[in-house]
Amino acid sequence: QVQLVESGGGLVQAGDSLRLSCAASGRTFSSYVMGWFRQAPGKEREFVAAIIWNGGSTYYADSVKGRFTISRDNAKNTVYLQMNSLKPEDTAAYYCAAKTGPFYSGSSRSSSAYNYWGQGTQVTVSS
């Protein structure tokens, strides 16, 4: 069992940066694949990024590749999402998620693959 709490969202202008954090409880944090998803009003939840247990591999949606960076600190039970060059279309509620098992290139980009979720943090980017 793991509990996830996101923070760091806010209102920014296009081109600005934000760093989201997700603090996890539990002693087995380092065993989970951690992911970030987002959901805009009226849209389905979509994959943003994921990182394997030791940070050795990261995965990104094409829409954020080159602008966002996912990282983790297992000593602090925390995963981060550094978001640079933000665009209005990045506006959404951002959710942290954890899954057991390995990251599979196809299926692990689906929200249904993740076992645990945070409550979300809102990111709003004005033009």
Side-chain angles (χ1 to χ4, degrees), residues 22 27-28 31 33 41 58 66 69-71 74 107-109 113 118:
C22 173
R27 294 177 292 176
T28 58
S31 68
V33 169
T58 56
T69 302
I70 188 171
S71 61
N74 288 341
S107 60
S108 294
R109 293 173 183 262

Side-chain angles (χ1 to χ4, degrees), residues 2-6 22-25 29 34 96-98 116-120:
V2 61
Q3 293 183 325
L4 305 172
V5 179
E6 303 96 334
C22 173
S25 64
F29 171 78
M34 299 300 298
C96 174
Y116 304 103
W117 292 87
Q119 83 289 349

Side-chain angles (χ1 to χ4, degrees), residues 20-76:
L20 305 183
S21 299
C22 173
S25 64
R27 294 177 292 176
T28 58
F29 171 78
S30 61
S31 68
Y32 291 97
V33 169
M34 299 300 298
W36 286 97
F37 287 75
R38 67 186 182 186
Q39 188 168 18
K43 295 188 177 182
E44 292 187 355
R45 191 167 296 189
E46 65 173 358
F47 173 80
V48 174
I51 186 167
I52 67 169
W53 71 277
N54 64 354
S57 293
T58 56
Y59 306 87
Y60 297 95
D62 288 344
S63 58
V64 307
K65 200 173 294 182
R67 300 188 298 122
F68 290 11
T69 302
I70 188 171
S71 61
R72 67 191 296 163
D73 185 338
N74 288 341
K76 296 182 178 179

